[in-house]
Amino acid sequence: MWFQKFWVHWLQCVVDLLFYSSQKLQTTEMIKTALLHSSVLHMCVFQDSSSVVEWTQCPGDRSHQLLETQQSYETEWDMINAVSFRKRPCSNREGDHERTRWALTFSVSELRSITVKEEGWTFLICKLKEASTPLPALHFHQGGSREFLESLRRFALLTESPDDEMCLLVSTPNKALSQSFENLLDDNSFGLVHKFRKDPYVATLGGFSKVTNYIFDALRGSEEQHQRPPEEVADLLGEVIPGLEINQQEEPGFEVITRIDLGTRPQVMRREPVSVDNWTKHQDPEGRMINIPHLKHTIFKGGLCHAMRKEAWKFLLGYFPWDSTLEERKALQRSKTDEYFRMKLQWKSVSEEQERRNSRLRDYRSLIEKDVNRTDRTNRFYEGIDNPGLALLHDILMTYCMYDFDLGYVQGMSDLLSPILYVMENEVDAFWCFVSFMDQMHQNFEEQMQGMKTQLIQLSTLLRLLDLAFWNYLESQDSGYLYFCFRWLLIRFKRELSFQDVLRLWEVMWTSLPCLNFHLLVCCAILDSEKQKIMEENYGFNEILKHINELSMKLDIEEILQKAEGICLQIKSCKDLPHSVSVILGFDSNISSSDPTGCGSPPAPRPIQRQDVCSNGHLRKNSSHNSCKVAFIS
């Protein structure tokens, strides 16, 4: 009898061992398959504390769901929409327990946390955001808990709780954003992460604010959770957007700004554009420009009539010296024409065989050809097929690659060239004016993006001074980094304003009046106009980015310039102005009271060549465009 009992007991152990082994495999495979096809968990918890996961879909949804799954592989950050589910009774096998009795179902989005416990085996304790009764623990006697969590991470962000290292907080991305995510960029054949890592400027110009909206929403999690620490958000964004790491420490020379009484903002008036007659009055018989400060002030207050732009922009951009005679400018043009065509001949004479062995030149050409075909095509100067304006745009950008091969071509530079070529209507003049403009904008396009990081920090400093309450509101909505202003700064509002308004804004900024970094005050003026709506409507992070993005082509340039100048005067009149703000705007205590703008011109630095000065008030070495030494001009 004892022998018979021994064999019965031994057989029972073998059956149990086979059952648990098959159960482990079934659990792992079901988890992987299920998480690829849905975001709703159907779990069956057994009385013996082992667990498996099952998925069921309504028959009518199966083909649609498979199509979505296939698309998710093609778009790296594409989210799979939830589908409707129905309960399916679990079939009982020999030796199995009653599964239906212990079945439980919940959505991944309902999860608040998962606690990992060890007692000889791993078991997980799931907590829902709203649950009257606790969920039973999910035990993994034969392993598989790690695979379960790794698969879950595809649909939720799991972060360690600051209070309990064994507890993982669960947050899920916004569903509405995930459904429309593929529409954010023009080209859906590449994933977002791939686009950012390959070239951050491409993704930025394609809809940066919307993309950042999605990224932040995925990182922030549900509103019920505590706010993610700023340094953690910055680190995560830095992984997705190369070159945009934010230093959490105070920048050297920047003090913390507290609430300061700036006084009343003065009202300013704009004037009429500078006419041909007015311009002519500022020339002597030999063609030298006279009374230049007054002329610059007049251009700042009203801009230029279009007939004068072709000549005036050459002075504003530094192509022509202000004190040069007409004959000297003619000689300079002849010299610059020869230099331009020598550089153009360099890339024109490269054979196909040579280009096959020059990957950088090949990549530059490819990017330029793509950008040229989609730059300002609604403008009559560039519209249509085989437009000569497009050919000039292409040739100038290719020649610039030979002029500055270290930087070469970066997407977005065509946006800066297009208005200049439109005004100049001359290949050589447009090239050298573009070179001067790129000397100001160079750091925006360098690999380390030092110019962009500096400007975002400076803009945040100015906004804190002007309206601390508004800045605190943005900070509370994870918007304190002001990433929604990225495109404004990168290409100087080129995508935010109409073509004619861009011409007016650029020529005003090129006067270098009324202060250094006036373009940052333009940003402040736009935000000042929108802050009431943002705060009254209690916009969250998503709504702020959506609202700012929708301002494109709806802005009044004259109103913006008027408000920006008023902000400059308001800040300048402040007695206790923080030193950091004085540095950003180039203010000096010994500014002449006769200054016509009332704001003062930037203090004169030591004599340097114009090409060494970046638009952010930084000095840049000539020897290498990739290694920039940054110092504030004071």
Side-chain angles (χ1 to χ4, degrees), residues 1-16:
M1 182 65 65
W2 67 269
F3 184 80
Q4 183 179 4
K5 289 182 178 181
F6 170 80
W7 277 106
V8 170
H9 178 71
W10 185 84
L11 289 174
Q12 182 63 45
C13 291
V14 172
V15 169
D16 289 344

Side-chain angles (χ1 to χ4, degrees), residues 125 156 169 196 202 281 318 482 509 632:
I125 302 175
L169 301 179
F196 269 111
V202 183
K281 291 178 182 178
L482 305 180
M509 292 193 299
F632 287 106

Side-chain angles (χ1 to χ4, degrees), residues 295-408:
L295 177 60
K296 286 186 175 181
H297 173 67
T298 307
I299 296 173
F300 169 77
K301 296 294 289 187
L304 295 157
C305 67
H306 189 70
M308 283 310 308
R309 282 177 173 146
K310 183 180 297 186
E311 181 177 355
W313 278 24
K314 298 172 186 176
F315 290 93
L316 291 172
L317 286 168
Y319 176 34
F320 286 168
W322 288 96
D323 58 351
S324 60
T325 65
L326 181 60
E327 291 301 320
E328 289 172 342
R329 292 195 290 271
K330 289 181 179 179
L332 177 64
Q333 278 185 304
R334 289 193 295 269
S335 173
K336 290 295 186 181
T337 299
D338 292 342
E339 186 177 354
Y340 172 78
F341 283 106
R342 281 197 300 269
M343 290 185 293
K344 183 175 181 179
L345 184 61
Q346 290 175 355
W347 65 266
K348 280 281 191 180
S349 60
V350 174
S351 65
E352 294 183 2
E353 186 67 24
Q354 286 178 297
E355 189 167 320
R356 278 198 295 269
R357 294 190 294 269
N358 191 331
S359 60
R360 292 187 65 184
L361 181 61
R362 190 169 62 247
D363 291 343
Y364 290 157
R365 185 193 296 272
S366 176
L367 287 173
I368 289 172
E369 290 174 352
K370 290 179 181 178
D371 269 14
V372 164
N373 288 328
R374 56 192 180 193
T375 299
D376 292 326
R377 296 308 301 275
T378 58
N379 188 300
R380 292 185 61 183
F381 192 80
Y382 300 106
E383 68 181 359
I385 303 175
D386 297 329
N387 189 304
L390 297 179
L392 292 177
L393 200 66
H394 173 274
D395 289 359
I396 292 173
L397 292 173
M398 284 296 299
T399 306
Y400 185 80
C401 291
M402 309 310 298
Y403 174 82
D404 188 349
F405 202 80
D406 285 341
L407 180 63

Side-chain angles (χ1 to χ4, degrees), residues 267-273 297-304 504-505 507-509 514 518 557-565:
Q267 295 293 324
V268 297
M269 298 296 295
R270 300 285 299 164
R271 300 177 186 173
E272 293 296 319
H297 173 67
T298 307
I299 296 173
F300 169 77
K301 296 294 289 187
L304 295 157
R504 175 59 44 81
L505 175 63
E507 63 197 13
V508 166
M509 292 193 299
F518 181 66
I557 187 59
E558 292 298 325
E559 179 181 330
I560 292 171
L561 289 172
Q562 185 175 346
K563 179 171 288 190
E565 184 183 358

